[in-house]
Amino acid sequence: MTLNLAGMRPACTILFITHSSGLYGAERCLLDLVSGLPKRIRPVVMAPGAGPLVDKLKEKEIEICLIPFRGWWHRKYRIKCVQRIFLNMVALGRMTAEFRRREINLVYSNSLYSPVGAIFARMRSLPHIWHAHELAALHDGMKFDFGEKYAMEFVDKRSGAVICNSHAHQNNLSEWIAATKIKMVYNGIAPEDSASVREGFRKRVRRNETTILNIGSITENKGQMDAILALQELLKNGQKARLILLGDGDSEYGKYLKKIAGGLPCRESVKWEGFQENTQKYLQEADVLIVCSKLETFGRSAVEAMAAGCPVVASKTGVIPEIIEDGVNGFTYHHGDYRELSAKIRLLMQDEELRSRVSENAYETYLRNFQLRDYVHHVVEIIDETRQARCRETLGPCA
């Protein structure tokens, strides 16, 4: 075992496995984590292919290995699980060859998407951490190839720890995962310059046209339909407003949304901007961010808005009640009730003092609960605990 004499803790190399090379919530969490690790931990990130996440990792000079692999869930065609199993066997063979001569000390799967990390850790007798960004009961019509019960039992058995990102998420996983393994850590967001954020509270004044922002992949779960119908309601009641949608995803659902929006009077006020790597400039220009998801295990865009001083209206589901107290540091509404969403937006826009107070409270909430340094610190603690536990299992008490 290599020792880090400066910190008197074991130095180690961790294989981080990302299910995607995009830059949505889970991938951004991984990027933030590996960028903030202490020097005694050497990250190697395995990705299924090229993409913006890989580009960012290269910029930060973090070691990358590209090996395609597949998930173990499906939306329409369960029969394709045979193909996915075969491709994952090929991936495991490539992983074995790639890391045969490398000293890997722990495997960290950054999603429940695929079991390849857990299987590889088992093959090499390594400790394994699963960072769950999904609920056990998958949404958007997804189902585990072999059923939820078998998949979650496998996750429980093949993990030293399972990290989740909210108490609501913890309660969901606790039906299947041993309580001693589940570790709740709120995701962290890199801080904005506090002086500029507070200056923004004063500068956010009511304009002739309200800019409403929604960030997230275009899927039914993210609830963009609520956003479009709420905009229509605002315009119908004489409010000048526009809606900016950031994200890509399910092309069929995207076409459906655009067809619906195209048939409404609000169509000229809906701006489809697609995926944007830099969302900060949009948050700085927005009057309000809306989160319309059916289910949210964390709600990263909401916290990013709070950190930027942008007020938030979010659907009262999943983790949102842990983040937002209605009327104090943001507003909540019931998913599907676009009239309630419209009313909460209108309330924020018509009361400048309320908007400023809510934004300041939101920023204070961010500082208390969602700073990046705290997120990295807690995850590193879990990594150390998991390695020590494996050491005790194999060698007895470890120094």
Side-chain angles (χ1 to χ4, degrees):
M1 180 180 293
T2 304
L3 294 180
N4 177 357
L5 297 180
M8 296 305 294
R9 287 187 178 183
C12 66
T13 298
I14 298 180
L15 175 60
F16 291 90
I17 299 178
T18 174
H19 71 294
S20 160
S21 297
L23 264 181
Y24 283 107
E27 299 92 329
R28 288 184 183 275
C29 287
L30 178 63
L31 178 63
D32 289 341
L33 175 60
V34 298
S35 301
L37 289 171
K39 291 183 178 180
R40 64 183 175 86
I41 298 179
R42 297 183 295 270
V44 179
V45 178
M46 186 183 111
L53 172 62
V54 172
D55 295 338
K56 287 290 185 182
L57 291 168
K58 288 179 179 177
E59 289 177 12
K60 295 177 179 292
E61 299 183 342
I62 293 170
E63 185 178 350
I64 305 158
C65 176
L66 300 182
I67 297 178
F69 62 93
R70 297 293 185 272
W72 59 343
W73 60 52
H74 64 279
R75 179 181 284 118
K76 294 181 179 179
Y77 305 112
R78 183 176 182 178
I79 193 171
K80 288 189 176 180
C81 74
V82 176
Q83 182 186 52
R84 290 192 285 272
I85 291 171
F86 173 76
L87 292 171
N88 282 342
M89 290 175 63
V90 173
L92 286 165
R94 291 187 60 184
M95 291 169 69
T96 300
E98 178 72 26
F99 300 112
R100 179 178 289 116
R101 294 178 176 83
R102 292 292 303 274
E103 182 186 358
I104 302 294
N105 303 105
L106 183 141
V107 180
Y108 188 109
S109 295
N110 192 51
S111 170
L112 296 179
Y113 170 76
S114 176
V116 294
I119 296 171
F120 180 74
R122 174 66 174 173
M123 291 166 59
R124 291 282 295 268
S125 298
L126 296 172
H128 177 252
I129 291 175
W130 228 311
H131 195 145
H133 293 276
E134 307 87 355
L135 298 170
L138 303 170
H139 49 67
D140 284 335
M142 294 290 189
K143 295 181 179 179
F144 284 103
D145 287 334
F146 302 104
E148 181 181 328
K149 182 176 184 295
Y150 172 81
M152 289 299 102
E153 287 176 351
F154 183 89
V155 170
D156 183 37
K157 188 175 182 180
R158 298 300 176 207
S159 58
V162 178
I163 300 174
C164 62
N165 47 34
S166 70
H167 292 293
H169 196 190
Q170 183 177 16
N171 291 338
N172 174 263
L173 294 176
S174 63
E175 181 179 352
W176 308 102
I177 311 297
T180 54
K181 288 187 177 182
I182 302 177
K183 312 293 182 182
M184 198 289 286
V185 181
Y186 282 131
N187 294 342
I189 306 297
E192 296 292 309
D193 177 70
S194 59
S196 65
V197 172
R198 293 184 185 280
E199 181 66 19
F201 298 149
R202 293 187 287 273
K203 287 185 177 179
R204 286 182 191 275
V205 296
R206 187 180 177 192
R207 292 176 280 224
N208 291 331
E209 183 180 57
T210 298
T211 298
I212 304 166
L213 181 64
N214 177 269
I215 304 172
S217 55
I218 306 297
T219 64
E220 187 175 357
N221 177 62
K222 291 298 183 181
Q224 285 89 358
M225 184 64 76
D226 279 6
I228 293 169
L229 295 177
L231 173 68
Q232 176 65 25
E233 190 73 10
L234 285 168
L235 296 177
K236 188 172 70 174
N237 287 296
Q239 181 90 32
K240 292 183 178 180
R242 63 173 181 155
L243 170 65
I244 299 176
L245 296 167
L246 302 186
D248 55 20
D250 187 334
S251 59
E252 290 185 12
Y253 186 68
K255 290 177 182 176
Y256 169 72
L257 280 178
K258 289 179 179 179
K259 182 179 179 181
I260 296 295
L264 295 172
C266 69
R267 58 184 174 274
E268 298 299 326
S269 299
V270 180
K271 310 300 179 184
W272 305 84
E273 297 289 318
F275 171 78
Q276 297 292 327
E277 184 177 315
N278 180 13
T279 61
Q280 285 303 311
K281 64 177 183 179
Y282 290 92
L283 287 169
Q284 290 165 4
E285 290 297 320
D287 293 298
V288 58
L289 175 93
I290 58 174
V291 179
C292 307
S293 307
K294 288 182 182 178
L295 292 170
E296 277 290 351
T297 57
F298 180 64
R300 182 183 177 93
S301 63
V303 176
E304 287 180 339
M306 295 164 80
C310 178
V312 179
V313 181
S315 54
K316 195 174 182 178
T317 61
V319 70
I320 294 300
E322 295 178 39
I323 298 175
I324 296 176
E325 184 178 353
D326 189 53
V328 177
N329 61 353
F331 283 94
T332 60
Y333 82 101
H334 294 87
H335 174 81
D337 190 344
Y338 65 88
R339 290 188 176 88
E340 183 185 14
L341 173 57
S342 172
K344 294 293 177 74
I345 295 171
R346 191 163 53 250
L347 177 62
L348 268 174
M349 293 305 101
Q350 291 177 346
D351 190 333
E352 185 177 332
E353 183 180 342
L354 172 65
R355 185 171 65 253
S356 179
R357 184 174 68 251
V358 163
S359 297
E360 291 204 41
N361 289 341
Y363 185 65
E364 293 300 326
T365 300
Y366 156 73
L367 291 177
R368 285 196 307 272
N369 299 326
F370 304 109
Q371 292 203 63
L372 180 58
R373 67 187 182 195
D374 297 329
Y375 167 69
V376 173
H377 172 75
H378 291 315
V379 173
V380 169
E381 282 187 330
I382 295 167
I383 289 170
D384 289 337
E385 290 170 3
T386 303
R387 290 191 64 209
Q388 290 166 7
R390 173 54 65 90
C391 184
R392 288 192 295 269
E393 288 176 6
T394 56
L395 302 176
C398 299

